[in-house]
Amino acid sequence: MKLKALLLLAAVFVANHGMAQTAEASQRLTKLSELGNSTVYEFNYPSVSCSGQPTVLSAALVAWTPGEPEEKDSIESVHIYSHATIGSDDERPTTKGFSKELTALQTLPRRTYGDLTDDISTDFVGRCIIIAPDYEGYGATRSLPHPYLSQRLTARQVLDALEYGLKLYRQQAAEKIDSNQLLPLKSDWRTFGLGFSQGAAVTLALQRLIEGEGLSEQYHFQGSVCGDGPYDLVETMRYYFEDDGTSYGAETDHRKGMITYPAVVPLIIKGMCDTYPELAGYGYGDLLTQQLLDTGVLGWIDSKQYTTSEMASMWYDQLEEGRDTLDRHYSPEQMAELFDTPRWGKVWGHADKMFTPATYAYLNDASNFSTVPEKAENAQQALHRALAENSVVKGWEPQHRIQFYHSRSDMVVPFGNYLSFRDAHPDGENTLYRLNDTFSNDDHIDAATLFFLNLTVTGSLAAHYQWINEGYIPTGIKEAVAVSSRPDGWYTIDGRRLNGKPTEKGIYINNGRKIAVK
């Protein structure tokens, strides 16, 4: 990101949202709860905000803490858990309600799964630390916007959580004064990425960042498990306009121009507008209709009070009663132009009523997507460039294995996202990465439930992590690792490699460390 563009974005950000920041970086892990052999902590850590300024974010850390540890016991793995899309701040990882989801990795039975592969044990998976960032806009930075699907930025912030969380853990484990003894890290500990939906895209972006900056050895990084992620935002958006319910060999209820999970549209548009410099000169109204804005959805998102399901329920009520929250009144008939209710409690959006006419016309024209515009001459082209810039399928060659899950019947994050990744890396399928597309025949939310059941109940997790752990690095990629690990490598804060040491002021990455150029 060029400095001038970064400063422009920062100015717009400050004007719209101020610089509210009260948290300080933690000196110790703070205990939240205990669940069985797991202890949940939280911590605040230094990072960089979407405005390019220093910030302090929050994260959870779950430690395996057996009640009666044996002398040989140690932490064998570190899992970086990137969470799925949330709307309410109460859904963030540093809440007690999130703890059970985080501790699932540490409650696996200690046995082998001979029917899956020979002698695969869950021990090295469950004896672990889990680090789960809240993301910017939640927890310590709840008053600020969440940079939704700003992949490079979020990956940078998650990497900062990994670095700082490990530092605090090691310090505290060495003190040996905690009531739940923190175990030391094993000499050959391993790190894995894990996420579903938005979290899967963040996980893939994180792997790209770790590999690109030559940090795999430092963090003992092995690979990732990714479920139904929006890796290609352009492909995701095109699906809404093109699919007639028969794509990818699966029959669904989706129809062209329908958004089956309408909250995703304002979330994407808001995320792109709040973080992408070329959209800083435009407003939400350049992309979204006034009728959609009048429902109050942007206020709901900013408030961090409502889950996306609750937003759908409020839209349902507006549709049934013909009213909204901004004293801008629409009849039920007018609201029906915006939304459908295919069944009780469900709300689907009409793309031609959610997007402005100019935006709808642009997104509905397949010829606009043969190439990415070289520059943005209007809001629609700026959006196109933002979506392409925040996709994570191209521009890198993975060095570690990736286990993908993806339902072919997903109408929110379509299967085309996996195909886009496969097409960008055709030589790696079933060697460097592989796919499970049979775990679910359901839509996004139900697929998420089955994803976690597959990982933590059926034993699939052990098999997948063992496969990832075996490793596979083709010769050509080994050479790329050597090049990307050079000490003279300089990067912007969002992961773009520079030709040499920058001359403009700002925060940069050099040899895995943040450097301020003055």
Side-chain angles (χ1 to χ4, degrees), residues 158-214:
V158 171
L159 180 59
D160 288 341
L162 172 63
E163 176 185 12
Y164 203 78
L166 284 176
K167 173 186 173 182
L168 292 180
Y169 181 89
R170 281 172 160 150
Q171 290 175 348
Q172 213 150 317
E175 294 173 357
K176 296 184 178 180
I177 59 175
D178 198 288
S179 58
N180 293 79
Q181 182 177 337
L182 297 183
L183 300 173
L185 269 68
K186 193 176 180 181
S187 60
D188 62 344
W189 57 277
R190 291 153 279 191
T191 294
F192 303 90
L194 171 65
F196 187 88
S197 192
Q198 178 186 3
V202 173
T203 296
L204 203 59
L206 177 65
Q207 177 165 334
R208 177 179 65 177
L209 181 60
I210 289 175
E211 294 175 347
E213 294 193 0

Side-chain angles (χ1 to χ4, degrees), residues 207-221:
Q207 177 165 334
R208 177 179 65 177
L209 181 60
I210 289 175
E211 294 175 347
E213 294 193 0
L215 300 175
S216 299
E217 184 175 349
Q218 177 179 335
Y219 292 112
H220 300 207
F221 186 75

Side-chain angles (χ1 to χ4, degrees), residues 180-494:
N180 293 79
Q181 182 177 337
L182 297 183
L183 300 173
L185 269 68
K186 193 176 180 181
S187 60
D188 62 344
W189 57 277
R190 291 153 279 191
T191 294
F192 303 90
L194 171 65
F196 187 88
S197 192
Q198 178 186 3
V202 173
T203 296
L204 203 59
L206 177 65
Q207 177 165 334
R208 177 179 65 177
L209 181 60
I210 289 175
E211 294 175 347
E213 294 193 0
L215 300 175
S216 299
E217 184 175 349
Q218 177 179 335
Y219 292 112
H220 300 207
F221 186 75
Q222 302 298 305
S224 304
V225 179
C226 302
D228 286 46
Y231 318 116
D232 187 335
L233 301 185
V234 173
E235 177 65 28
T236 299
M237 195 66 71
R238 295 297 306 136
Y239 169 87
Y240 300 149
F241 288 82
E242 293 183 342
D243 174 66
D244 62 357
T246 60
S247 297
Y248 318 124
E251 292 187 7
T252 68
D253 293 331
H254 187 263
R255 294 296 178 265
K256 294 180 180 180
M258 296 300 298
I259 315 293
T260 60
Y261 202 72
V264 74
V265 168
L267 281 169
I268 290 176
I269 298 303
K270 192 175 187 307
M272 297 298 102
C273 286
D274 286 348
T275 61
Y276 192 67
E278 291 184 8
L279 279 167
Y282 300 100
Y284 306 128
D286 292 306
L287 299 168
L288 301 175
T289 63
Q290 191 62 46
Q291 191 167 354
L292 177 61
L293 296 176
D294 281 346
T295 65
V297 62
L298 295 187
W300 301 343
I301 294 172
D302 275 336
S303 74
K304 314 291 171 60
Q305 294 181 17
Y306 307 104
T307 67
T308 54
S309 295
E310 289 171 336
M311 294 179 197
S313 295
M314 290 189 287
W315 272 330
Y316 185 87
D317 291 341
Q318 292 177 3
L319 180 62
E320 292 297 298
E321 301 177 22
R323 61 180 177 80
D324 56 52
T325 60
L326 296 180
D327 296 325
R328 296 289 298 273
H329 298 283
Y330 295 90
S331 67
E333 291 75 19
Q334 289 172 315
M335 289 299 294
E337 296 175 355
L338 188 59
F339 298 116
D340 262 354
T341 53
R343 60 184 67 91
W344 186 87
K346 293 286 185 179
V347 176
W348 289 11
H350 292 276
D352 61 337
K353 298 300 181 181
M354 299 182 74
F355 292 105
T356 62
T359 305
Y360 177 81
Y362 186 93
L363 295 175
N364 196 41
D365 187 346
S367 66
N368 288 326
F369 295 90
S370 57
T371 60
V372 179
E374 293 184 1
K375 61 179 181 179
E377 297 181 350
N378 52 51
Q380 290 70 40
Q381 289 182 340
L383 174 62
H384 185 174
R385 285 173 56 81
L387 296 174
E389 173 68 21
N390 287 288
S391 297
V392 292
V393 297
K394 299 178 181 178
W396 68 300
E397 288 297 330
Q399 301 161 16
H400 300 83
R401 287 182 166 181
I402 306 164
Q403 173 66 56
F404 287 103
Y405 277 76
H406 217 116
S407 170
R408 291 177 178 268
S409 299
D410 195 324
M411 297 186 291
V412 181
V413 184
F415 186 73
N417 280 278
Y418 169 75
L419 297 180
S420 183
F421 180 90
R422 184 200 66 184
D423 293 345
H425 311 280
D427 297 330
E429 192 169 31
N430 295 321
T431 53
L432 188 58
Y433 63 90
R434 65 183 187 183
L435 169 71
N436 181 338
D437 61 349
T438 62
F439 77 104
S440 174
N441 294 317
D442 299 304
D443 198 7
H444 194 67
I445 302 301
D446 291 335
T449 300
L450 292 172
F451 171 79
F452 287 106
L453 286 174
N454 267 265
L455 288 178
T456 59
V457 176
T458 68
S460 297
L461 180 144
H464 293 326
Y465 277 86
Q466 184 70 22
W467 177 77
I468 290 172
N469 194 55
E470 291 169 359
Y472 175 82
I473 304 179
T475 302
I477 294 179
K478 287 182 180 178
E479 295 172 356
V481 174
V483 171
S484 66
S485 301
R486 293 180 304 177
D488 62 347
W490 285 86
Y491 300 81
T492 61
I493 59 171
D494 59 356

Side-chain angles (χ1 to χ4, degrees), residues 89-121:
D89 189 57
D90 290 338
E91 300 173 280
R92 71 184 191 274
T94 53
T95 61
K96 292 184 178 180
F98 206 96
S99 300
K100 287 186 178 180
E101 184 171 347
L102 288 177
T103 58
L105 284 171
Q106 296 169 332
T107 56
L108 294 170
R110 295 176 58 181
R111 62 177 185 268
T112 58
Y113 296 92
D115 57 329
L116 294 175
T117 58
D118 292 337
D119 297 326
I120 291 178
S121 172

Side-chain angles (χ1 to χ4, degrees), residues 13-228:
F13 184 91
V14 172
N16 289 341
H17 307 288
M19 290 299 294
Q21 179 66 64
T22 58
E24 294 182 356
S26 299
Q27 301 304 307
R28 295 182 59 83
L29 300 171
T30 300
K31 186 183 297 184
L32 286 178
S33 62
E34 298 176 22
L35 290 171
N37 287 332
S38 300
T39 306
V40 184
Y41 299 88
E42 66 177 343
F43 65 94
N44 295 333
Y45 65 96
S47 190
V48 179
S49 73
C50 66
S51 63
Q53 302 298 313
T55 190
V56 174
L57 307 178
S58 50
L61 185 149
V62 184
W64 178 60
T65 51
E68 297 181 1
E70 300 178 9
E71 185 176 350
K72 65 178 181 178
D73 283 340
S74 59
I75 297 299
E76 299 189 30
S77 59
V78 176
H79 300 273
I80 315 163
Y81 180 72
S82 299
H83 66 76
T85 298
I86 61 175
S88 167
D89 189 57
D90 290 338
E91 300 173 280
R92 71 184 191 274
T94 53
T95 61
K96 292 184 178 180
F98 206 96
S99 300
K100 287 186 178 180
E101 184 171 347
L102 288 177
T103 58
L105 284 171
Q106 296 169 332
T107 56
L108 294 170
R110 295 176 58 181
R111 62 177 185 268
T112 58
Y113 296 92
D115 57 329
L116 294 175
T117 58
D118 292 337
D119 297 326
I120 291 178
S121 172
T122 63
D123 284 356
F124 84 96
V125 177
R127 297 175 174 180
C128 68
I129 298 168
I130 306 165
I131 295 176
D134 286 338
Y135 299 161
E136 183 177 4
Y138 296 100
T141 52
R142 174 183 173 174
S143 62
L144 302 180
H146 167 52
Y148 187 65
L149 297 184
S150 182
Q151 312 289 29
R152 294 179 185 272
L153 171 67
T154 307
R156 168 63 58 194
Q157 295 172 341
V158 171
L159 180 59
D160 288 341
L162 172 63
E163 176 185 12
Y164 203 78
L166 284 176
K167 173 186 173 182
L168 292 180
Y169 181 89
R170 281 172 160 150
Q171 290 175 348
Q172 213 150 317
E175 294 173 357
K176 296 184 178 180
I177 59 175
D178 198 288
S179 58
N180 293 79
Q181 182 177 337
L182 297 183
L183 300 173
L185 269 68
K186 193 176 180 181
S187 60
D188 62 344
W189 57 277
R190 291 153 279 191
T191 294
F192 303 90
L194 171 65
F196 187 88
S197 192
Q198 178 186 3
V202 173
T203 296
L204 203 59
L206 177 65
Q207 177 165 334
R208 177 179 65 177
L209 181 60
I210 289 175
E211 294 175 347
E213 294 193 0
L215 300 175
S216 299
E217 184 175 349
Q218 177 179 335
Y219 292 112
H220 300 207
F221 186 75
Q222 302 298 305
S224 304
V225 179
C226 302
D228 286 46

